[in-house]
Amino acid sequence: MAEKTAKKEKIERQPMPEQPAEVRRRNFEEVPLGYTEEMAVMEAQRCLQCKKPACVTGCPVGVSIPDFIKCIAEKDFKGAIRKIWEKNALPAVCGRVCPQEMQCEGQCIVGKKDKPVAIGNLERFVADMARNAGSDEVPEKAAPTGKRVAVVGSGPSGLTVAGDLLLKGHDVTLFEAFHKTGGVLIYGIPEFRLPKAIVASEVAGLEKLGLKIECNMVVGSIVSIDELFEEGYDAVFIGVGAGLPRFLNIPGEDLIGIYSANEYLTRANLMKGYKFPEYDTPIIRGKDVIVFGAGNVSMDSARTAMRLGADRVRIVYRRSREEMPARGAEIHHAEEEGIEFHLLTAPVRFIGDEKGRLKQLEGLKMELGEPDASGRRRPVPIEGSEFLIDCDLAVVAVGANANPLLTQSDKEITLNKWGYIVADEETGKTTKKGVWAGGDIVTGSATVILAMGAGRKAANSIHDYLTIGW
Amino acid sequence: MFKIIRREEMAQGTVILNEIEAPRIASKAKPGQFVILKANETGERIPLTISDSDAAKGTITIIYMVVGKSTALFKELQVGDAFQDVIGPLGKPTHIEKLGNVVCVGGGTGVAVLYPITRGFKQAGNNVTSIIGARNKDLLILEDKMKAASDEFHVCTDDGSYGHKGFVTEVLEDVLKNNKISLVVAIGPVPMMKFVSKITKNYNVKTLVSLNPIMIDGTGMCGGCRVSVGGKTQFACVDGPEFDGHEVDYDALMTRLSAYQEDEKKAYEDHCRMSGNK
């Protein structure tokens, strides 16, 4: 056994082929190009096939990771996708956007001494292979139960609930407020990180399983939760996302040239503003761009600005590098593409020209002081360190508040003091009978996979309710 | 798809009325609310306040001025054609109640938005005075309907081709001088709403305005429609579109409305050239 392990560790982690940084920073094509079959098989051989796999405990939806990797090593790619499908209806998405280093790969035993097995890259490989093979094979579905479920919101949590419940034989209708399905996967995450054709194909896969989709449906306005029950739905899942963007609340924030990240990315991704005037929605193309915040959304915004022709893109963040919440790969990619990081820097005010267009930012340098309640050292301003920098576009990516549109329309659903829905952590049950919730409208802004994890738990609980009782 | 079942051209073809099949929206729409429309796959999402709705027939009516490429595309749609997407009803409805004397002031296509609100106040038992204005007689819209929904009715034109020669604000000032008014509702171009609010503030009369800033989703997500009201940032789509006229920062709103002027101008000119108009 020891000898076998030693032999396995000799294989180096297979690097993911990528578009070169100097090319990709000006196009919207996907950055990683994907493994070849040889690379995938080679990488799969690095897996130790642990008896008690730590990687699985690190996965919010509990994918049987060693099992699907074993299939790859044996070149049984169909077997591999079937293994993943048992726990994850959206593998092509997760392989691309999960923060693997904090989840499965973060727990990987190989990673203790060497680089961890590239679980995300392998998942992506299997999913892409299945999709490109164009096979009509879909996961097996249980006999119809005759129960109807309304899923509100077609983002990662809603799609997971829909996928799981379809497989369990329920009749599922998905309601989406936008004109296209996918939620944040469509409006938020850029094409170069998650091609929209992949999201469309994952949704089409659910339609093959019998999913009904109704777009342009703002539940809470056009139809209430109670009316959904009156229309014959037996259960409702709410996964409407976080919503209202947060701003910096500093002077000059209403100047032309200052976007919330939600608006900037929605213009670019959902409305295809980067193809203006072929598409009708305009987007400001800044030359000197500043992005506030250091999460995945900031990286997406900064890299989008670069692709829209910026000369210079700066990320301004008030804490230090260690606290940056973005996925490691995103920070790395952004740096490679020439995005600058101005850490320990806080915005003070925006300055405009006579036409009300953004011209400059006044900033302030910070230093790390005593630890705050979260245990992180609190950034404190350095007196007299004010400075001015020129900019013609600013994107504010500092999180979101709860969207009240749906929640204020139903008084039986209890909210917490921030306006998020109170839902049971294990089941996703809200305080209203027959109604579940999950994703950002429960937790506040988080990741795709956490929303999917919440969707998985809710789907199990909804199934129990429909077959056993509340 | 949302089929157009009636189409009218008004104000010499510069303003278009579409009655659209949208039964679910029609069953919920209330005065003051808006919809977002998208003509086709590559189209922009355009917010327009609902001018009328008929729950029994399952239709809503919108009235818009042709000002750019997107509204020019809308104009090309004929009876039997359809909008690809219509989303709504969005925004908070007008709070309509019996107050006494209510004055409704409308300018340009703002009259289309004002009409269902005027009718609502009349039906709630108020004594309604309406003042509508346009640059000239030919550009006036919904005169008959507004007249029917009002107890007292005034028309103004900038050039004096019809009714009072001058601005709606002049007639409004007369009305305020001689009557005890409980509420003024003003809907029209931003400068008109700004000046109406200035006058009503002098008379200490509560004033509602309906704003139509740039927005994308209309559900609170993008923040593009943010306006400063009483020094606080509000989102027109979920907090509005109606606000206390005395608290709105109109200058900031006008600046924000000009954000894409150059892009829009170019897109419109290209569109006109391609389609052989003008």
Side-chain angles (χ1 to χ4, degrees), chain A residues 178-180 216 221-222 227 231 244-245 247 253-254 256 258-260 262-263 266-267 280-281 357 403, chain B residues 24 28 41-42 44-45 69 73 85 87-89 214 217 219-222 224 226 255-256 258-260:
Chain A
F178 266 131
H179 55 273
K180 268 206 175 90
N216 298 324
S221 299
I222 196 165
E227 284 165 334
E231 286 178 22
L244 309 187
F247 284 92
E253 205 157 17
D254 289 338
I256 299 172
I258 303 171
Y259 284 124
S260 73
N262 277 357
E263 180 176 5
T266 302
R267 281 181 184 274
D280 293 338
T281 304
R357 289 178 185 269
N403 190 328
Chain B
R24 285 195 99 132
K28 286 292 174 80
E41 186 57 33
T42 55
E44 224 181 331
R45 291 166 65 98
K69 182 183 172 186
L73 278 174
D85 301 287
I87 303 106
I214 293 169
D217 62 301
T219 62
M221 199 204 77
C222 82
R226 61 191 188 274
T255 303
R256 288 188 64 76
S258 74
Y260 302 99

Side-chain angles (χ1 to χ4, degrees), chain B residues 28-260:
Chain B
K28 286 292 174 80
K30 294 196 181 75
Q33 290 188 298
F34 67 96
V35 288
I36 285 184
L37 305 102
K38 188 167 171 286
N40 54 33
E41 186 57 33
T42 55
E44 224 181 331
R45 291 166 65 98
I46 301 290
L48 288 172
T49 307
I50 301 166
S51 184
D52 209 349
S53 60
D54 187 332
K57 208 169 153 194
T59 62
I60 58 165
T61 301
I62 50 153
I63 297 177
Y64 57 89
M65 195 190 298
V66 180
V67 291
K69 182 183 172 186
S70 292
T71 39
L73 278 174
F74 287 7
K75 185 184 175 179
E76 285 167 16
L77 299 175
Q78 302 299 321
V79 169
D81 292 342
F83 286 90
Q84 184 172 300
D85 301 287
V86 181
I87 303 106
L90 300 167
K92 290 184 178 160
T94 312
H95 185 68
I96 290 174
E97 58 180 330
K98 188 171 178 195
L99 296 164
N101 293 323
V102 174
V103 180
C104 295
V105 186
T109 39
V111 176
V113 180
L114 189 64
Y115 166 63
I117 297 170
T118 308
R119 192 178 54 184
F121 275 107
K122 171 88 174 146
Q123 283 167 355
N126 293 283
N127 181 61
V128 177
T129 301
S130 296
I131 310 165
I132 64 169
R135 286 209 310 279
N136 61 50
K137 183 174 192 282
D138 294 331
L139 297 178
L140 264 185
I141 60 166
L142 299 181
E143 185 191 350
D144 295 343
K145 286 197 161 187
M146 282 299 290
K147 202 169 185 175
S150 314
D151 296 285
E152 202 185 310
F153 181 67
H154 303 272
V155 175
C156 310
T157 51
D158 296 3
D159 66 353
S161 51
Y162 189 52
H164 171 83
K165 180 181 191 305
F167 298 127
V168 288
T169 41
E170 295 158 10
V171 178
L172 172 66
E173 185 128 35
D174 272 350
V175 173
L176 291 170
K177 260 182 208 159
N178 301 314
N179 301 277
K180 168 120 189 52
I181 304 299
S182 314
L183 177 74
V184 170
V185 183
I187 305 176
V190 180
M192 184 207 95
M193 294 192 282
K194 178 181 170 179
F195 286 107
V196 165
S197 300
K198 219 171 190 175
I199 290 167
T200 56
K201 193 155 193 191
N202 292 338
Y203 289 87
N204 209 12
V205 177
K206 191 181 168 199
T207 301
L208 273 185
V209 295
S210 178
L211 309 183
N212 194 7
I214 293 169
M215 59 177 75
I216 301 277
D217 62 301
T219 62
M221 199 204 77
C222 82
C225 66
R226 61 191 188 274
V227 285
S228 174
V229 181
K232 279 197 188 129
T233 295
Q234 300 267 287
F235 295 155
C237 65
V238 289
D239 301 319
E242 286 172 12
F243 293 103
D244 179 344
H246 296 155
E247 300 287 336
V248 173
D249 183 340
Y250 296 100
D251 295 339
L253 174 63
M254 270 185 270
T255 303
R256 288 188 64 76
L257 281 168
S258 74
Y260 302 99

Side-chain angles (χ1 to χ4, degrees), chain A residues 145-447:
Chain A
T145 61
K147 301 286 184 185
R148 295 178 68 203
V149 182
V151 173
V152 185
S154 68
S157 71
L159 289 176
T160 303
V161 171
D164 282 10
L165 292 178
L166 286 164
L167 291 181
K168 293 180 198 291
H170 305 295
D171 181 356
V172 183
T173 305
L174 192 59
F175 294 93
E176 167 57 44
F178 266 131
H179 55 273
K180 268 206 175 90
T181 50
V184 73
L185 307 174
I186 281 283
Y187 74 74
I189 302 178
E191 180 75 17
F192 56 83
R193 198 146 79 79
L194 179 63
K196 301 309 148 214
I198 289 173
V199 181
S201 132
E202 305 248 36
V203 174
L206 297 181
E207 283 185 281
K208 274 190 218 155
L209 282 171
L211 178 66
K212 293 175 200 138
I213 295 173
E214 288 202 42
C215 286
N216 298 324
M217 289 291 284
V218 183
V219 174
S221 299
I222 196 165
V223 61
S224 68
I225 302 278
D226 287 334
E227 284 165 334
L228 287 175
F229 285 121
E230 283 162 26
E231 286 178 22
Y233 289 98
D234 300 293
V236 177
F237 174 80
I238 302 170
V240 294
L244 309 187
R246 255 183 233 148
F247 284 92
L248 300 167
N249 297 317
I250 59 172
E253 205 157 17
D254 289 338
L255 290 165
I256 299 172
I258 303 171
Y259 284 124
S260 73
N262 277 357
E263 180 176 5
Y264 186 60
L265 293 173
T266 302
R267 281 181 184 274
N269 302 326
L270 177 74
M271 306 310 295
K272 304 225 182 295
Y274 67 92
K275 291 188 179 170
F276 180 88
E278 180 193 340
Y279 281 72
D280 293 338
T281 304
I283 186 164
I284 296 173
R285 291 168 178 256
K287 285 290 166 202
D288 227 326
V289 183
I290 297 188
V291 177
F292 298 95
N296 291 325
V297 176
S298 322
M299 302 304 142
D300 287 346
S301 303
R303 298 171 69 198
T304 297
M306 191 55 97
R307 284 160 174 77
L308 285 171
D311 294 330
R312 194 170 183 191
V313 181
R314 287 177 266 206
I315 285 179
V316 166
Y317 182 50
R318 47 196 283 275
R319 293 181 185 263
S320 65
R321 182 166 285 263
E322 278 168 32
E323 287 92 16
M324 287 171 50
R327 195 170 170 250
E330 306 313 323
I331 297 172
H332 173 68
H333 279 144
E335 281 187 319
E336 280 185 345
E337 290 167 15
I339 313 285
E340 297 168 37
F341 290 81
H342 290 251
L343 306 174
L344 288 166
T345 305
V348 177
R349 66 181 172 123
F350 293 108
I351 300 163
D353 66 12
E354 67 289 347
K355 284 185 177 162
R357 289 178 185 269
L358 176 65
K359 190 174 76 172
Q360 278 182 316
L361 169 77
E362 182 179 325
L364 185 66
K365 298 303 285 179
M366 313 286 278
E367 61 189 349
L368 289 178
E370 295 301 308
D372 60 16
S374 70
R376 302 188 299 183
R377 289 178 68 193
R378 187 199 303 272
V380 287
I382 302 173
E383 233 175 278
S385 68
E386 289 85 353
F387 60 92
L388 288 175
I389 41 179
D390 291 343
C391 53
D392 57 358
L393 174 64
V395 181
V396 180
V398 295
N401 295 323
N403 190 328
L405 239 178
L406 186 148
T407 51
Q408 73 192 3
S409 75
D410 194 307
K411 297 295 163 227
E412 291 172 68
I413 297 172
T414 304
L415 307 179
N416 68 19
K417 64 177 170 174
W418 298 284
Y420 293 108
I421 295 177
V422 174
D424 184 272
E425 240 179 77
E426 286 313 307
T427 62
K429 278 182 182 173
T430 69
T431 49
K432 184 179 173 102
K433 192 182 171 193
V435 181
W436 283 256
D440 284 4
I441 191 60
V442 172
T443 57
S445 306
T447 59

Side-chain angles (χ1 to χ4, degrees), chain A residues 111-174:
Chain A
K112 300 277 178 223
K113 284 186 177 164
D114 189 3
K115 286 182 183 162
V117 176
I119 300 166
N121 292 349
L122 289 173
E123 183 181 32
R124 175 194 152 125
F125 166 79
V126 172
D128 287 357
M129 193 156 196
R131 191 181 63 257
N132 295 334
S135 120
D136 274 343
E137 187 186 344
V138 286
E140 248 179 86
K141 199 174 148 179
T145 61
K147 301 286 184 185
R148 295 178 68 203
V149 182
V151 173
V152 185
S154 68
S157 71
L159 289 176
T160 303
V161 171
D164 282 10
L165 292 178
L166 286 164
L167 291 181
K168 293 180 198 291
H170 305 295
D171 181 356
V172 183
T173 305
L174 192 59

